[in-house]
């Protein structure tokens, strides 16, 4: 309970500071409205500074060994600075320098605006999935290193094939070996049910278990033991697929968000140079 109260207090303080910075930025812009170009430079500079701070969060995550504060604190401030940047983006991009609502009229301004909206959108999505997905993975057991999942999957495939080929599993009718070739080999050899795992569905794995239970009626005692071991491997493969699906979403989101942030920094830098060089006019 005390931890929740402390966390709420920290969140409230951070939100109040961010709000104060936003109000101060708007007041500063309003004070300089007698020179509309100065107001544009003021809000644009603050917006670019916010984008740099937001981008630095990604750098902070990659150098976690340095004493730069807790990652959770950085994430909290990342969210609040993002809100502040959204406010500055609306003021700078849609109200200045004319003080009337307008859409960006140059192709570069439009490109910056579109990329910023994409960065903000993926940031909001990322805030949600980075809170939910790690909790889901932890609830299903120990996290597996993403790069090792393929090796573990191949190991399960080899173990399942060895079970089917052992003397006790081989029969003249080839029932178990045929089932392995038709149904289990494709299952073990590649990731499966990725969208289903994101929806918390285990239908393919349960379907295979049901099929093996039905098949057991036609197996010998030794083959039924092999079938039971195959069920255990199927369940382990299902856990690997669950981890793979969720970690793939995290990595895919991070790649997309990072690429958009890099594009935003490049376009915003070009926009700033041109605006300062040509008196506020850009392409």
């Amino acid at each position: 309970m005390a931890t929740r109260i402390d966390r709420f207090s920290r969140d409230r303080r951070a939100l109040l500071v961010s709000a104060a910075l936003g109000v101060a930025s708007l007041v500063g812009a309003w004070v300089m409205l007698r020179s509309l170009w100065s107001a544009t430079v003021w809000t644009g500079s603050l917006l670019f500074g916010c984008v740099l701070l937001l981008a630095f969060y990604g750098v902070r995550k990659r150098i976690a060994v340095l004493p730069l504060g807790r990652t959770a604190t950085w994430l909290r401030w990342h969210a609040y600075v993002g809100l502040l940047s959204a406010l500055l983006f609306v003021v700078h991009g849609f109200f200045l320098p004319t003080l009337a609502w307008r859409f960006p009229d140059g192709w570069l301004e439009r490109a910056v605006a579109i990329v910023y909206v994409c960065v903000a959108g993926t940031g909001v999505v990322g805030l949600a999935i980075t809170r939910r997905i790690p909790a889901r993975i932890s609830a299903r057991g120990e996290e597996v290193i993403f790069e090792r999942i393929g090796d573990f999957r191949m190991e399960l495939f080899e173990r399942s094939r060895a079970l089917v080929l052992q003397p006790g599993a081989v029969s003249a009718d080839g029932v178990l070996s045929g089932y392995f070739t038709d149904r289990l080999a494709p299952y073990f050899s590649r990731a499966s049910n990725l969208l289903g795992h994101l929806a918390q569905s285990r239908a393919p794995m349960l379907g295979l278990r049901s099929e093996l239970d039905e098949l057991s009626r036609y197996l010998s005692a030794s083959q039924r033991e092999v079938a039971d071991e195959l069920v255990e491997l199927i369940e382990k493969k299902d856990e690997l697929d669950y981890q793979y699906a969720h970690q793939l979403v995290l990595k895919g989101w991070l790649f997309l968000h990072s690429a958009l942030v890099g594009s935003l920094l490049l376009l915003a830098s070009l926009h700033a140079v041109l605006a300062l060089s040509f008196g506020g006019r850009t392409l």
Side-chain angles (χ1 to χ4, degrees):
M1 186 67 176
T3 303
R4 290 185 177 180
I5 294 175
D6 292 341
R7 185 180 305 164
F8 175 75
S9 299
R10 289 196 300 268
D11 289 346
R12 186 172 60 180
R13 285 196 300 269
L15 183 59
L16 289 175
V17 170
S18 299
L21 289 175
V23 172
S25 301
L26 294 178
V27 169
W30 182 260
V31 168
M32 291 187 292
L33 282 179
R34 293 180 181 178
S35 174
L36 293 179
W37 169 235
S38 297
T40 303
V41 173
W42 172 253
T43 55
S45 300
L46 285 175
L47 178 57
F48 189 73
C50 286
V51 172
L52 286 177
L53 285 175
L54 293 170
F56 190 71
Y57 172 67
V59 178
R60 165 65 183 85
K61 291 176 65 177
R62 288 172 173 79
I63 52 175
V65 294
L66 297 181
L68 298 176
R70 297 171 62 245
T71 302
T73 303
W74 275 81
L75 178 60
R76 187 160 48 247
W77 279 102
H78 185 80
Y80 294 138
V81 173
L83 291 175
L84 174 60
S85 74
L87 176 63
L88 291 171
F89 168 72
V90 172
V91 173
H92 179 76
F94 296 92
F95 284 102
L96 293 177
T98 61
L99 293 183
W101 176 265
R102 69 175 185 88
F103 286 99
D105 51 8
W107 70 264
L108 181 57
E109 287 187 357
R110 291 172 183 170
V112 172
I114 291 172
V115 175
Y116 177 86
V117 170
C118 291
V119 169
T122 55
V124 172
V125 172
L127 185 62
I129 65 175
T130 53
R131 289 177 179 270
R132 295 194 62 182
I133 288 183
R136 282 187 173 190
I137 293 175
S138 299
R140 291 285 289 267
E142 184 179 356
E143 182 176 350
V144 180
I145 298 174
F146 183 78
E147 290 74 16
R148 296 290 310 279
I149 291 179
D151 296 334
F152 290 135
R153 185 190 304 126
M154 184 56 62
E155 179 182 333
L156 291 177
F157 174 74
E158 295 295 341
R159 288 173 59 186
S160 62
R161 184 169 61 177
L163 282 173
V164 174
L165 293 178
Q166 69 184 14
V170 177
S171 62
D173 55 14
V175 173
L176 192 57
S177 59
Y179 179 77
F180 175 84
T181 301
D182 295 338
R183 299 286 289 139
L184 295 185
Y187 175 77
F188 281 109
S189 61
R190 59 178 180 268
S192 59
N193 192 36
L194 299 185
L195 293 178
H197 280 304
L198 296 178
Q200 301 294 86
S201 170
R202 308 181 73 181
M205 184 273 293
L206 295 176
L208 291 175
R209 284 181 50 179
S210 177
E211 291 173 2
L212 275 174
D213 288 341
E214 180 68 20
L215 191 66
S216 294
R217 296 189 302 169
Y218 308 100
L219 302 179
S220 64
S222 60
Q223 287 178 320
R224 282 195 292 270
E225 293 179 2
V226 171
D228 291 339
E229 294 185 57
L230 286 173
V231 168
E232 294 180 6
L233 296 181
I234 289 171
E235 292 175 348
K236 290 181 179 179
K237 169 63 166 45
D238 183 70
E239 293 297 328
L240 281 181
D241 287 341
Y242 184 88
Q243 297 237 0
Y244 182 80
H246 286 78
Q247 292 191 44
L248 184 64
V249 169
L250 283 175
K251 290 185 177 295
W253 164 79
L254 181 60
F255 176 81
L256 176 61
H257 189 63
S258 299
L260 288 170
V261 169
S263 300
L264 178 61
L265 287 173
L266 180 62
L267 291 172
S269 299
L270 180 59
H271 169 72
V273 170
L274 293 176
L276 293 174
S277 300
F278 297 102
R281 294 173 298 166
T282 59
L283 299 177

